[in-house]
């Protein structure tokens, strides 16, 4: 969690994309892509996989594309795709190491899902947390930001104002 790593200078080339861009609200009640085309979204929420991520999502996205659906809400929760949870917490397909130590299989699965969505033309709304993760009577006990798990806050509401939580959360979404 502490320290600095410095790499050598790296180069990259930016190229044009065929992507329509992000979806945004325009000045009326409609949604548009960055390229100004109207976004008409038809789809569903895909909250949890059975644990067989690539086959599940490949089947779902192919079926969605075949039936004219172009939108899916994907849940990035620790039960599904989140890269972090309480150290030692384990599912059959993920073993967590705690705050800021990302589960590599989850990272690969998320990349794979994004690739499949691009291939099938399905647009994603990625839900970073589910409400249960911040409820003390639900699964707060598994949340990596909980002080009981090496995190920074004992009360879930403090997550939203704690600078250390913000720092780690920003690192997570910059994965």
């Amino acid at each position: 969690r502490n320290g600095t790593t410095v790499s050598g200078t790296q180069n990259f080339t930016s190229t044009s994309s065929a992507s329509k861009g992000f979806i945004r609200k325009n000045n009326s009640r409609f949604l548009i892509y960055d390229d100004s085309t109207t976004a008409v979204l038809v789809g569903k929420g895909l909250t949890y996989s059975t644990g067989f991520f690539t086959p599940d999502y490949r089947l779902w996205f192919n079926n969605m594309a075949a039936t004219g659906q172009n939108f899916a809400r994907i849940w990035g929760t620790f039960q599904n795709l989140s890269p972090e949870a309480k150290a030692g917490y384990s599912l059959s397909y993920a073993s967590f190491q705690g705050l800021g130590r990302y589960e590599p299989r989850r990272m690969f699965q998320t990349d794979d899902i994004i690739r499949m969505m691009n291939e099938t033309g399905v647009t994603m709304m990625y839900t970073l947390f589910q409400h249960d993760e911040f409820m003390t009577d639900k699964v707060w006990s598994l949340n990596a930001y909980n002080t009981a798990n090496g995190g920074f806050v004992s009360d879930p509401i403090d997550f939203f104002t704690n600078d250390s939580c913000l720092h780690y959360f920003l690192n997570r979404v910059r994965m």
Side-chain angles (χ1 to χ4, degrees):
R1 287 196 200 182
N2 298 318
T4 302
T5 301
V6 178
S7 69
T9 302
Q10 302 292 317
N11 296 311
F12 69 93
T13 302
S14 178
T15 60
S16 297
S17 169
S19 170
K20 295 179 180 183
F22 288 100
I23 298 172
R24 304 177 190 286
K25 181 181 179 290
N26 71 358
N27 293 331
S28 68
R29 59 188 172 148
F30 299 103
L31 300 173
I32 60 169
Y33 289 97
D34 283 335
D35 71 357
S36 298
T37 59
T38 301
V40 178
L41 305 175
V42 178
K44 63 181 101 188
L46 301 174
T47 54
Y48 298 106
S49 167
T50 62
F52 301 102
F53 288 90
T54 299
D56 284 350
Y57 283 99
R58 183 177 312 285
L59 174 67
W60 295 336
F61 295 148
N62 286 337
N63 287 344
M64 290 174 72
T67 58
Q69 297 177 66
N70 64 353
F71 177 77
R73 178 182 179 188
I74 307 293
W75 284 41
T77 64
F78 65 84
Q79 299 102 321
N80 195 40
L81 289 169
S82 173
E84 61 187 358
K86 172 184 174 180
Y89 179 68
S90 159
L91 300 165
S92 60
Y93 46 86
S95 181
F96 297 98
Q97 304 302 313
L99 184 62
R101 294 182 172 94
Y102 304 126
E103 213 288 336
R105 288 171 287 193
R106 290 293 180 86
M107 305 297 286
F108 172 80
Q109 291 159 346
T110 301
D111 286 346
D112 206 29
I113 286 168
I114 291 169
R115 183 187 52 73
M116 286 186 277
M117 293 181 89
N118 286 331
E119 290 172 358
T120 57
V122 175
T123 301
M124 168 175 47
M125 177 175 70
Y126 192 78
T127 302
L128 296 168
F129 294 106
Q130 80 177 50
H131 58 282
D132 284 6
E133 293 179 66
F134 294 94
M135 296 174 69
T136 55
D137 63 333
K138 300 290 183 184
V139 294
W140 173 245
S141 62
L142 299 175
N143 193 310
Y145 292 91
N146 184 338
T147 52
N149 302 325
F152 303 104
V153 294
S154 57
D155 189 332
I157 195 70
D158 294 333
F159 168 84
F160 301 97
T161 57
N162 182 282
D163 289 340
S164 295
C165 289
L166 177 63
H167 170 78
Y168 276 86
F169 177 72
L170 290 176
N171 280 340
R172 175 177 164 178
V173 297
R174 291 180 183 145
M175 304 182 290

